[in-house]
Amino acid sequence: MRNDSQYRGRLAPSPTGLLHLGHARTFWIAAQRAKERGGALILRNEDLDPQRSRAEFSRAMIEDLQWLGIRWTEGPDCGGKFGPYAQSERRAHYLEVWRRLRDGGFIYPCTCSRKDLAQAASAPNDADDEPIYPGRCRGRMDAGAFSSPAGVNWRFRVPEGERIGFSDLNMGPRSYVAGSDFGDFLVWRRDDVPSYQLAVVADDGAMEISEVVRGADLLKSTARQLLLLRALALPTPDYFHCELLRDEKGMRLAKRHDALSLRQLRESGMSPEAVVELAFRPIEGGELL
Ligand SMILES: [Zn+2]
């Protein structure tokens, strides 16, 4: 066992529903990797979206993770020197990052309506992904004229045609082409909420995260985040993306799979050990359900 006091991993759930078996699997792996290295594990509450986040789910996720036997060294419940650990309390950090991106010429305001976008943007290959923005607001307005991000969308100008590669510690080499696999992505929303991509990069940088363990649904987002890290001259963490659990129809588990929420599994009398075992059982058609 290597003791690597530099290792800093994180658990980053969003409180928009109850944690399920898929989260248990990913977070268990993240916790084991931090433990094996004698490093730190940070719990970060990704409650950025005021429309979708609920305090009751924030409480439930802490309880459910503790029940499962996962322990962290810094978090909203126990503090730490990189706090606050709830994204809803970190707005000043995100504004600072927005300013740096604006001053560096990396982002631009976008005034397209939802309707404009529906007509102009090409649909992503992956239904979960944001549409590929065709860049129609590039160069339209002077970003420097904005002293705050509110009121318009802000997008990152991707280097058209550049292949963004990384070596995933679990899934091997990956690469995505900017401009065709993904377009100019949102960094700040017109309703004055930073985007997921901006907040994650800002927080992973500020919290000195050395390894990101998360679900494979975020593989492509890694390419976007690498561009943001480069623009901000922040160090690049290692990445370890975990296979997603799927239900009997091949759909990946989501918060709507109530029967597989940790809360319900616990209430049905399962022990934490049995839940972890279930989360790591080889997945064959429908076995989980
Ligand atoms: Zn636009």
Side-chain angles (χ1 to χ4, degrees), residues 11-228:
L11 313 166
S14 48
T16 56
L18 290 169
L19 298 183
H20 57 61
L21 203 55
H23 297 112
R25 188 176 191 282
T26 301
F27 293 150
W28 189 263
I29 293 170
Q32 287 306 112
R33 292 182 67 80
K35 199 190 249 178
E36 280 163 12
R37 285 161 189 77
L41 185 64
I42 290 89
L43 176 66
R44 187 167 75 217
N45 182 4
E46 298 210 332
D47 59 347
L48 197 57
D49 190 334
Q51 308 297 327
R52 297 175 62 224
S53 302
R54 303 245 294 275
E56 69 203 75
F57 291 133
S58 297
R59 284 191 294 275
M61 85 196 178
I62 287 178
E63 276 172 31
D64 291 348
L65 289 170
Q66 283 174 340
W67 172 78
L68 199 62
I70 290 177
R71 298 289 176 264
W72 48 92
T73 44
E74 298 166 33
D77 56 326
C78 55
K81 64 175 175 166
F82 294 91
Y85 293 91
Q87 289 192 325
S88 58
E89 296 166 26
R90 298 182 61 78
R91 184 176 166 84
H93 293 262
Y94 307 140
L95 275 172
E96 178 54 27
V97 165
W98 172 81
R99 274 186 216 106
R100 286 174 59 195
L101 292 170
R102 179 202 60 187
D103 294 349
F106 296 104
I107 57 174
Y108 61 90
C110 166
T111 52
C112 295
S113 66
R114 226 176 264 272
K115 198 171 145 217
D116 293 337
L117 291 178
Q119 285 165 354
S122 40
N125 308 327
D126 175 352
D128 296 327
D129 206 2
E130 74 180 63
I132 295 175
Y133 178 74
R136 57 193 291 257
C137 291
R138 278 190 184 191
R140 256 192 193 175
M141 271 173 293
D142 174 18
F146 289 78
S147 57
S148 86
V152 292
N153 286 313
W154 287 82
R155 296 182 178 277
F156 186 92
R157 184 184 292 109
V158 302
E160 213 71 52
E162 184 181 333
R163 186 172 287 278
I164 314 296
F166 59 99
S167 187
D168 189 81
L169 293 176
N170 189 37
M171 299 193 150
R174 295 279 152 163
S175 78
Y176 299 94
V177 177
S180 53
D181 287 326
F182 61 94
D184 289 356
F185 54 90
L186 281 174
V187 293
W188 207 282
R189 295 184 349 206
R190 100 176 66 227
D191 60 354
D192 204 17
V193 177
S195 76
Y196 165 76
Q197 313 292 353
L198 180 141
V200 162
V201 164
D203 289 345
D204 286 344
M207 295 176 182
E208 298 180 5
I209 299 301
S210 65
E211 183 180 88
V212 172
V213 179
R214 60 187 176 193
D217 52 325
L218 290 164
L219 270 167
K220 198 199 284 181
S221 274
T222 301
R224 297 182 178 101
Q225 291 170 22
L226 287 170
L227 289 173
L228 280 171

